[in-house]
Amino acid sequence: MSVSNRAFELADRRAEEERAEGIRRVQQAIRAPINVTASPFCDCGERIPDDRRRAMPRATRCVDCETFIERQSRRRA
Ligand SMILES: [Zn+2]
């Protein structure tokens, strides 16, 4: 096998592994229960999407607010 073929094979395998890892993560996120005790609404009144609540069961804010607050606390630190 030539060197370039070997490189292709390795890149191929890595891509395959990354795909499998991505699928695993998605399956985990789908299986994870939604935290029903937490409010599905952010402080700003925006509804937090179900897939976000599955991925982060303790998320109490929408993406916009979370990003905003993260940026604020980083500035303070
Ligand atoms: Zn919000």
Side-chain angles (χ1 to χ4, degrees):
M1 193 185 282
S2 76
V3 173
S4 60
N5 272 345
R6 176 108 187 97
F8 270 127
E9 200 198 321
L10 285 176
D12 232 36
R13 201 174 304 159
R14 197 154 45 221
E16 188 64 49
E17 277 163 15
E18 271 165 25
R19 215 166 14 238
E21 175 62 30
I23 291 166
R24 258 199 301 278
R25 233 173 284 155
V26 169
Q27 282 174 336
Q28 238 161 29
I30 290 167
R31 258 201 308 272
I34 294 176
N35 184 357
V36 288
T37 56
S39 166
F41 292 97
C42 174
D43 291 341
C44 71
E46 192 76 41
R47 196 181 196 285
I48 302 165
D50 284 351
D51 50 356
R52 174 167 164 78
R53 299 181 69 213
R54 277 197 201 92
M56 306 170 75
R58 280 176 297 175
T60 55
R61 294 183 194 97
C62 69
V63 180
D64 284 351
C65 291
E66 191 67 55
T67 308
F68 177 77
I69 286 162
E70 253 171 46
R71 223 173 274 157
Q72 293 279 310
S73 60
R74 207 171 300 154
R75 200 174 300 159
R76 225 178 293 139

